[in-house]
Amino acid sequence: SQKIEQNSEALNIQEGKTATLTCNYTNYSPAYLQWYRQDPGRGPVFLLLIRENEKEKRKERLKVTFDTTLKQSLFHITASQPADSATYLCALYTGGFKTIFGAGTRLFVKA
Amino acid sequence: GAGVSQTPSNKVTEKGKYVELRCDPISGHTALYWYRQSLGQGPEFLIYFQGTGAADDSGLPNDRFFAVRPEGSVSTLKIQRTERGDSAVYLCASSSSDSVSDTQYFGPGTRLTVL
Protein backbone atom coordinates (compact mmCIF):
# COMPACT_ATOMS: atom_id res chain seq x y z
CA SER A 1 0.00 0.00 0.00
CA GLN A 2 1.03 3.62 -0.45
CA LYS A 3 2.44 5.27 2.66
CA ILE A 4 4.18 8.45 3.75
CA GLU A 5 6.04 8.16 7.04
CA GLN A 6 7.30 10.94 9.22
CA ASN A 7 8.65 10.50 12.75
CA SER A 8 5.60 10.43 14.97
CA GLU A 9 7.74 11.20 18.01
CA ALA A 10 8.51 14.83 18.66
CA LEU A 11 12.03 16.06 18.01
CA ASN A 12 13.58 18.07 20.84
CA ILE A 13 16.76 20.01 20.14
CA GLN A 14 18.78 22.82 21.67
CA GLU A 15 18.76 26.29 20.15
CA GLY A 16 21.57 26.76 17.65
CA LYS A 17 21.72 23.09 16.64
CA THR A 18 20.61 21.67 13.30
CA ALA A 19 17.23 19.95 13.23
CA THR A 20 16.84 17.09 10.74
CA LEU A 21 13.41 15.72 9.92
CA THR A 22 12.76 12.65 7.78
CA CYS A 23 10.06 11.82 5.29
CA ASN A 24 9.96 8.29 3.85
CA TYR A 25 7.45 7.06 1.31
CA THR A 26 6.57 3.74 -0.27
CA ASN A 27 4.81 2.85 -3.49
CA TYR A 28 4.78 6.40 -4.81
CA SER A 29 6.77 7.96 -7.63
CA PRO A 30 6.34 11.63 -6.81
CA ALA A 31 7.07 14.28 -9.39
CA TYR A 32 7.91 16.60 -6.54
CA LEU A 33 7.85 16.85 -2.79
CA GLN A 34 6.98 19.80 -0.59
CA TRP A 35 7.59 20.74 3.03
CA TYR A 36 5.14 22.79 5.06
CA ARG A 37 5.15 24.28 8.54
CA GLN A 38 2.00 24.17 10.67
CA ASP A 39 1.48 26.01 13.96
CA PRO A 40 -1.32 25.02 16.38
CA GLY A 41 -4.70 26.31 15.23
CA ARG A 42 -3.34 27.45 11.88
CA GLY A 43 -3.27 26.12 8.35
CA PRO A 44 -0.03 24.79 6.85
CA VAL A 45 2.43 27.29 5.38
CA PHE A 46 4.49 26.29 2.33
CA LEU A 47 8.25 26.28 2.84
CA LEU A 48 10.06 24.49 0.00
CA LEU A 49 9.42 22.40 -3.10
CA ILE A 50 11.94 19.98 -4.59
CA ARG A 51 11.46 18.17 -7.90
CA GLU A 52 12.35 14.57 -8.66
CA ASN A 53 15.36 15.59 -10.74
CA GLU A 54 16.78 17.81 -7.99
CA LYS A 55 18.96 16.45 -5.21
CA GLU A 56 18.98 19.44 -2.91
CA LYS A 57 17.23 22.78 -2.42
CA ARG A 58 18.10 25.59 -0.02
CA LYS A 59 16.28 28.62 1.30
CA GLU A 60 17.90 30.70 4.02
CA ARG A 61 18.39 28.34 7.01
CA LEU A 62 16.39 25.55 5.37
CA LYS A 63 17.72 22.70 3.25
CA VAL A 64 15.81 19.84 1.66
CA THR A 65 17.24 16.75 0.02
CA PHE A 66 15.34 14.28 -2.13
CA ASP A 67 16.59 10.76 -2.82
CA THR A 68 14.21 8.96 -5.19
CA THR A 69 16.22 5.74 -4.90
CA LEU A 70 15.88 5.62 -1.12
CA LYS A 71 12.39 7.15 -1.40
CA GLN A 72 13.33 9.66 1.25
CA SER A 73 13.49 13.39 1.83
CA LEU A 74 15.42 15.06 4.63
CA PHE A 75 14.53 18.53 5.90
CA HIS A 76 17.20 20.47 7.77
CA ILE A 77 16.91 23.67 9.79
CA THR A 78 20.33 25.07 10.66
CA ALA A 79 21.00 27.41 13.60
CA SER A 80 17.57 26.50 14.97
CA GLN A 81 15.63 28.99 17.07
CA PRO A 82 12.72 28.57 19.52
CA ALA A 83 10.53 30.27 16.89
CA ASP A 84 11.15 27.27 14.63
CA SER A 85 9.10 25.12 17.02
CA ALA A 86 6.13 23.81 15.02
CA THR A 87 4.88 20.73 13.18
CA TYR A 88 6.55 20.10 9.83
CA LEU A 89 4.63 18.24 7.13
CA CYS A 90 5.96 16.65 3.98
CA ALA A 91 3.67 16.33 1.00
CA LEU A 92 3.94 14.44 -2.28
CA TYR A 93 2.47 15.19 -5.65
CA THR A 94 1.99 12.04 -7.69
CA GLY A 95 -0.33 13.16 -10.47
CA GLY A 96 -3.72 14.73 -11.11
CA PHE A 97 -4.52 17.51 -8.68
CA LYS A 98 -3.99 15.67 -5.46
CA THR A 99 -1.32 16.40 -2.85
CA ILE A 100 -0.74 13.64 -0.28
CA PHE A 101 0.43 14.80 3.16
CA GLY A 102 2.32 12.95 5.85
CA ALA A 103 1.18 13.15 9.47
CA GLY A 104 3.97 15.58 10.36
CA THR A 105 6.72 15.73 12.96
CA ARG A 106 6.60 18.11 15.92
CA LEU A 107 9.80 20.05 16.53
CA PHE A 108 10.60 21.72 19.83
CA VAL A 109 13.62 24.02 19.99
CA LYS A 110 14.72 24.84 23.54
CA ALA A 111 16.40 28.11 24.40
CA GLY B 1 -3.26 41.64 1.14
CA ALA B 2 -5.81 39.43 2.83
CA GLY B 3 -5.16 35.73 2.99
CA VAL B 4 -7.58 32.84 2.72
CA SER B 5 -10.41 33.18 5.21
CA GLN B 6 -12.77 30.50 6.45
CA THR B 7 -16.01 30.79 8.36
CA PRO B 8 -17.06 29.81 10.88
CA SER B 9 -13.87 29.15 12.79
CA ASN B 10 -15.71 26.62 14.95
CA LYS B 11 -18.91 24.72 14.31
CA VAL B 12 -20.61 22.38 16.77
CA THR B 13 -23.54 20.39 15.47
CA GLU B 14 -25.56 17.33 16.33
CA LYS B 15 -25.39 14.04 14.52
CA GLY B 16 -27.70 14.01 11.54
CA LYS B 17 -27.68 17.78 10.95
CA TYR B 18 -26.60 19.63 7.82
CA VAL B 19 -23.63 22.02 7.86
CA GLU B 20 -22.06 24.48 5.43
CA LEU B 21 -18.47 25.63 5.66
CA ARG B 22 -17.32 28.68 3.72
CA CYS B 23 -13.99 29.54 2.13
CA ASP B 24 -12.96 32.95 0.76
CA PRO B 25 -9.80 32.46 -1.30
CA ILE B 26 -7.17 35.06 -2.04
CA SER B 27 -8.57 37.50 -4.60
CA GLY B 28 -7.74 36.43 -8.14
CA HIS B 29 -6.77 32.87 -7.24
CA THR B 30 -8.35 30.49 -9.71
CA ALA B 31 -7.48 27.22 -7.98
CA LEU B 32 -9.16 26.20 -4.72
CA TYR B 33 -8.70 23.05 -2.62
CA TRP B 34 -10.54 21.57 0.34
CA TYR B 35 -8.80 19.29 2.82
CA ARG B 36 -9.81 17.56 6.04
CA GLN B 37 -7.38 17.20 8.92
CA SER B 38 -7.99 14.87 11.85
CA LEU B 39 -6.06 15.18 15.11
CA GLY B 40 -2.47 14.06 14.72
CA GLN B 41 -2.79 13.59 10.97
CA GLY B 42 -1.83 15.57 7.91
CA PRO B 43 -4.42 17.23 5.68
CA GLU B 44 -6.38 14.81 3.52
CA PHE B 45 -7.38 15.98 0.04
CA LEU B 46 -11.12 16.28 -0.59
CA ILE B 47 -11.75 18.30 -3.75
CA TYR B 48 -10.08 20.68 -6.19
CA PHE B 49 -11.74 23.51 -8.14
CA GLN B 50 -10.33 25.27 -11.16
CA GLY B 51 -12.59 28.27 -11.60
CA THR B 52 -16.19 27.21 -11.10
CA GLY B 53 -15.75 23.55 -11.89
CA ALA B 54 -14.64 20.67 -9.68
CA ALA B 55 -11.67 19.26 -11.58
CA ASP B 56 -11.04 16.49 -9.06
CA ASP B 57 -13.52 15.38 -6.38
CA SER B 58 -11.97 11.98 -5.81
CA GLY B 59 -11.23 12.71 -2.15
CA LEU B 60 -14.82 13.30 -1.08
CA PRO B 61 -15.50 10.36 1.25
CA ASN B 62 -19.13 9.73 0.24
CA ASP B 63 -22.19 11.38 -1.23
CA ARG B 64 -22.98 13.23 2.00
CA PHE B 65 -20.18 15.63 1.06
CA PHE B 66 -20.62 18.20 -1.67
CA ALA B 67 -18.84 21.44 -2.58
CA VAL B 68 -19.68 24.33 -4.87
CA ARG B 69 -17.93 27.40 -6.22
CA PRO B 70 -20.62 29.06 -8.35
CA GLU B 71 -18.80 32.26 -9.29
CA GLY B 72 -15.23 31.00 -9.24
CA SER B 73 -14.29 32.70 -5.96
CA VAL B 74 -16.05 31.77 -2.70
CA SER B 75 -16.57 28.05 -2.12
CA THR B 76 -18.92 26.23 0.22
CA LEU B 77 -18.38 22.70 1.51
CA LYS B 78 -21.69 21.08 2.42
CA ILE B 79 -22.07 18.03 4.63
CA GLN B 80 -25.44 16.32 4.95
CA ARG B 81 -26.54 14.00 7.75
CA THR B 82 -23.37 14.63 9.71
CA GLU B 83 -21.77 11.77 11.61
CA ARG B 84 -19.42 11.83 14.60
CA GLY B 85 -16.62 10.63 12.32
CA ASP B 86 -16.93 13.86 10.32
CA SER B 87 -15.42 15.77 13.26
CA ALA B 88 -12.16 17.31 12.06
CA VAL B 89 -10.62 20.58 10.93
CA TYR B 90 -11.64 21.46 7.39
CA LEU B 91 -8.98 23.44 5.57
CA CYS B 92 -9.27 25.44 2.40
CA ALA B 93 -6.34 26.49 0.22
CA SER B 94 -6.04 28.59 -2.92
CA SER B 95 -3.35 29.14 -5.51
CA SER B 96 -2.88 31.51 -8.39
CA SER B 97 -2.85 29.04 -11.26
CA ASP B 98 -3.85 25.55 -12.27
CA SER B 99 -0.31 24.26 -11.88
CA VAL B 100 -0.33 21.88 -8.93
CA SER B 101 3.25 22.87 -8.12
CA ASP B 102 2.12 26.44 -7.46
CA THR B 103 2.16 27.43 -3.81
CA GLN B 104 -1.06 26.64 -1.99
CA TYR B 105 -2.06 29.25 0.60
CA PHE B 106 -4.10 27.73 3.41
CA GLY B 107 -6.78 29.29 5.53
CA PRO B 108 -6.96 28.78 9.32
CA GLY B 109 -9.59 26.06 8.98
CA THR B 110 -13.03 25.39 10.41
CA ARG B 111 -13.09 23.04 13.38
CA LEU B 112 -16.21 20.89 13.05
CA THR B 113 -17.44 18.94 16.05
CA VAL B 114 -20.34 16.52 15.60
CA LEU B 115 -21.90 15.50 18.91
Coordinates of all heavy atoms in Angstrom, one line a residue, chain A residues 32-65:
Chain A
Y32 N 7.2 15.7 -7.4 CA 7.9 16.6 -6.5 C 7.4 16.4 -5.1 O 6.4 15.7 -4.9 CB 7.8 18.0 -7.0 CG 6.4 18.6 -7.1 CD1 5.7 19.0 -6.0 CD2 5.8 18.7 -8.3 CE1 4.4 19.5 -6.1 CE2 4.5 19.2 -8.4 CZ 3.8 19.6 -7.3 OH 2.5 20.1 -7.4
L33 N 8.1 17.0 -4.2 CA 7.9 16.9 -2.8 C 7.9 18.2 -2.2 O 8.8 19.1 -2.6 CB 8.9 15.9 -2.2 CG 8.7 15.5 -0.7 CD1 9.3 14.1 -0.5 CD2 9.5 16.5 0.2
Q34 N 7.0 18.5 -1.2 CA 7.0 19.8 -0.6 C 7.1 19.6 0.9 O 6.7 18.6 1.5 CB 5.6 20.5 -0.9 CG 5.4 20.7 -2.4 CD 4.0 21.2 -2.6 OE1 3.0 20.7 -2.1 NE2 3.9 22.3 -3.4
W35 N 7.6 20.7 1.6 CA 7.6 20.7 3.0 C 6.8 22.0 3.5 O 6.9 23.0 2.9 CB 9.0 20.8 3.6 CG 9.7 19.5 3.5 CD1 10.4 19.0 2.5 CD2 9.7 18.5 4.6 NE1 10.9 17.7 2.8 CE2 10.5 17.4 4.1 CE3 9.2 18.5 5.9 CZ2 10.7 16.3 4.9 CZ3 9.5 17.3 6.7 CH2 10.2 16.3 6.2
Y36 N 6.0 21.7 4.5 CA 5.1 22.8 5.1 C 5.4 22.9 6.6 O 5.7 21.9 7.2 CB 3.6 22.5 4.9 CG 3.1 22.6 3.5 CD1 3.3 21.6 2.5 CD2 2.3 23.7 3.1 CE1 2.8 21.7 1.3 CE2 1.8 23.8 1.8 CZ 2.1 22.8 0.9 OH 1.5 22.9 -0.3
R37 N 5.1 24.1 7.1 CA 5.1 24.3 8.5 C 3.7 24.5 9.0 O 2.9 25.3 8.3 CB 6.0 25.5 8.9 CG 5.9 26.0 10.3 CD 6.6 27.2 10.6 NE 6.3 27.7 11.9 CZ 7.2 28.2 12.8 NH1 8.5 28.3 12.4 NH2 6.9 28.6 14.0
Q38 N 3.3 23.9 10.1 CA 2.0 24.2 10.7 C 2.1 24.5 12.2 O 2.7 23.7 12.9 CB 1.1 23.0 10.4 CG -0.4 23.2 10.8 CD -1.3 22.2 10.4 OE1 -1.0 21.0 10.2 NE2 -2.6 22.5 10.2
D39 N 1.6 25.6 12.6 CA 1.5 26.0 14.0 C 0.1 25.6 14.5 O -0.9 25.6 13.7 CB 1.7 27.5 14.1 CG 3.2 27.9 13.8 OD1 4.0 27.6 14.7 OD2 3.5 28.3 12.7
P40 N 0.0 25.4 15.8 CA -1.3 25.0 16.4 C -2.4 26.0 16.0 O -2.3 27.2 16.1 CB -1.0 25.0 17.9 CG 0.4 24.8 18.0 CD 1.0 25.5 16.8
G41 N -3.5 25.5 15.6 CA -4.7 26.3 15.2 C -4.6 27.1 13.9 O -5.4 27.9 13.6
R42 N -3.5 26.8 13.2 CA -3.3 27.4 11.9 C -3.3 26.4 10.7 O -3.1 25.2 10.9 CB -2.0 28.2 11.9 CG -1.9 29.2 13.0 CD -2.6 30.5 12.7 NE -2.3 31.5 13.7 CZ -1.5 32.5 13.5 NH1 -0.9 32.6 12.3 NH2 -1.4 33.5 14.4
G43 N -3.5 27.0 9.5 CA -3.3 26.1 8.4 C -1.8 26.0 8.0 O -1.0 26.8 8.5
P44 N -1.4 25.0 7.2 CA 0.0 24.8 6.8 C 0.5 26.0 6.0 O -0.3 26.6 5.3 CB -0.1 23.5 6.0 CG -1.3 22.8 6.4 CD -2.3 23.9 6.7
V45 N 1.8 26.2 6.2 CA 2.4 27.3 5.4 C 3.5 26.6 4.5 O 4.4 25.9 5.1 CB 3.0 28.4 6.3 CG1 3.8 29.4 5.5 CG2 1.9 29.1 7.1
F46 N 3.5 26.9 3.2 CA 4.5 26.3 2.3 C 5.9 26.8 2.6 O 6.1 28.0 2.9 CB 4.1 26.6 0.9 CG 5.1 26.3 -0.1 CD1 5.3 25.0 -0.5 CD2 6.0 27.3 -0.6 CE1 6.3 24.7 -1.5 CE2 6.9 27.0 -1.6 CZ 7.1 25.7 -2.0
L47 N 6.9 25.9 2.6 CA 8.2 26.3 2.8 C 9.1 26.1 1.6 O 9.8 27.0 1.1 CB 8.8 25.5 4.0 CG 8.2 25.7 5.4 CD1 8.8 24.8 6.4 CD2 8.4 27.2 5.8
L48 N 9.2 24.8 1.1 CA 10.1 24.5 0.0 C 9.4 23.4 -0.9 O 8.7 22.5 -0.4 CB 11.4 23.9 0.5 CG 12.5 25.0 1.0 CD1 13.6 24.2 1.8 CD2 13.0 25.7 -0.2
L49 N 9.8 23.4 -2.2 CA 9.4 22.4 -3.1 C 10.7 21.9 -3.8 O 11.6 22.7 -4.1 CB 8.5 23.0 -4.2 CG 8.0 22.0 -5.3 CD1 6.6 22.4 -5.8 CD2 8.9 22.0 -6.5
I50 N 10.8 20.6 -3.9 CA 11.9 20.0 -4.6 C 11.4 19.0 -5.6 O 10.5 18.2 -5.3 CB 12.9 19.3 -3.6 CG1 14.2 18.9 -4.3 CG2 12.3 18.2 -2.8 CD1 15.3 18.5 -3.4
R51 N 11.9 19.0 -6.8 CA 11.5 18.2 -7.9 C 12.3 16.9 -7.9 O 13.4 16.8 -7.4 CB 11.6 18.9 -9.2 CG 10.7 20.2 -9.2 CD 10.7 20.9 -10.6 NE 10.0 22.1 -10.5 CZ 8.6 22.3 -10.5 NH1 7.9 21.2 -10.7 NH2 8.1 23.4 -10.4
E52 N 11.7 15.9 -8.6 CA 12.3 14.6 -8.7 C 13.7 14.6 -9.3 O 14.5 13.7 -9.0 CB 11.4 13.6 -9.4 CG 11.2 13.9 -10.8 CD 10.2 12.9 -11.5 OE1 10.2 11.8 -11.1 OE2 9.6 13.3 -12.5
N53 N 14.0 15.5 -10.1 CA 15.4 15.6 -10.7 C 16.3 16.5 -10.0 O 17.4 16.8 -10.5 CB 15.3 16.0 -12.2 CG 14.6 17.4 -12.3 OD1 14.1 18.0 -11.3 ND2 14.7 18.0 -13.5
E54 N 15.9 17.0 -8.8 CA 16.8 17.8 -8.0 C 17.2 17.0 -6.8 O 16.4 16.3 -6.2 CB 16.0 19.1 -7.5 CG 15.6 20.0 -8.7 CD 14.8 21.2 -8.2 OE1 13.9 20.9 -7.4 OE2 15.0 22.3 -8.7
K55 N 18.5 17.2 -6.4 CA 19.0 16.4 -5.2 C 18.8 17.3 -3.9 O 18.7 16.7 -2.8 CB 20.5 16.1 -5.4 CG 20.7 15.2 -6.6 CD 20.1 13.8 -6.3 CE 20.5 12.8 -7.4 NZ 19.8 11.6 -7.2
E56 N 18.9 18.6 -4.1 CA 19.0 19.4 -2.9 C 18.4 20.8 -3.3 O 18.5 21.3 -4.4 CB 20.5 19.6 -2.5 CG 20.7 20.4 -1.2 CD 22.2 20.5 -0.9 OE1 22.8 19.4 -0.6 OE2 22.7 21.6 -0.9
K57 N 17.8 21.4 -2.3 CA 17.2 22.8 -2.4 C 17.5 23.5 -1.1 O 17.3 22.9 0.0 CB 15.7 22.7 -2.7 CG 15.1 23.9 -3.4 CD 15.4 23.8 -4.9 CE 14.5 24.7 -5.7 NZ 13.2 24.2 -5.9
R58 N 17.8 24.8 -1.2 CA 18.1 25.6 0.0 C 17.3 26.9 -0.1 O 17.0 27.4 -1.1 CB 19.6 26.0 0.1 CG 20.5 24.8 0.3 CD 22.0 25.3 0.3 NE 22.9 24.1 0.4 CZ 23.5 23.8 1.6 NH1 23.3 24.5 2.7 NH2 24.3 22.7 1.6
K59 N 16.9 27.3 1.2 CA 16.3 28.6 1.3 C 16.6 29.1 2.7 O 16.1 28.6 3.7 CB 14.8 28.5 1.1 CG 14.0 29.8 1.3 CD 12.5 29.5 1.2 CE 11.7 30.7 1.5 NZ 10.2 30.5 1.5
E60 N 17.5 30.1 2.7 CA 17.9 30.7 4.0 C 18.4 29.6 4.9 O 19.4 28.9 4.6 CB 16.8 31.5 4.6 CG 16.3 32.7 3.8 CD 15.1 33.3 4.3 OE1 14.4 32.8 5.2 OE2 14.7 34.4 3.7
R61 N 17.9 29.4 6.1 CA 18.4 28.3 7.0 C 17.8 26.9 6.7 O 18.1 26.0 7.4 CB 18.1 28.7 8.5 CG 18.8 30.0 8.9 CD 18.5 30.3 10.4 NE 17.1 30.6 10.7 CZ 16.3 29.8 11.4 NH1 16.7 28.6 11.9 NH2 15.0 30.1 11.6
L62 N 17.0 26.8 5.7 CA 16.4 25.5 5.4 C 17.1 24.8 4.2 O 17.6 25.5 3.3 CB 14.9 25.8 5.0 CG 14.1 26.6 5.9 CD1 12.7 26.7 5.4 CD2 14.1 26.0 7.3
K63 N 17.2 23.5 4.3 CA 17.7 22.7 3.3 C 16.9 21.4 3.1 O 16.6 20.8 4.1 CB 19.2 22.3 3.5 CG 19.8 21.6 2.4 CD 21.3 21.3 2.6 CE 21.5 20.0 3.4 NZ 22.9 19.5 3.4
V64 N 16.5 21.1 1.9 CA 15.8 19.8 1.7 C 16.6 19.0 0.7 O 17.2 19.5 -0.3 CB 14.4 20.2 1.0 CG1 13.7 18.9 0.6 CG2 13.5 20.9 2.0
T65 N 16.7 17.7 1.0 CA 17.2 16.7 0.0 C 16.2 15.8 -0.4 O 15.2 15.5 0.3 CB 18.4 16.0 0.6 OG1 18.0 15.2 1.7 CG2 19.5 17.0 1.1

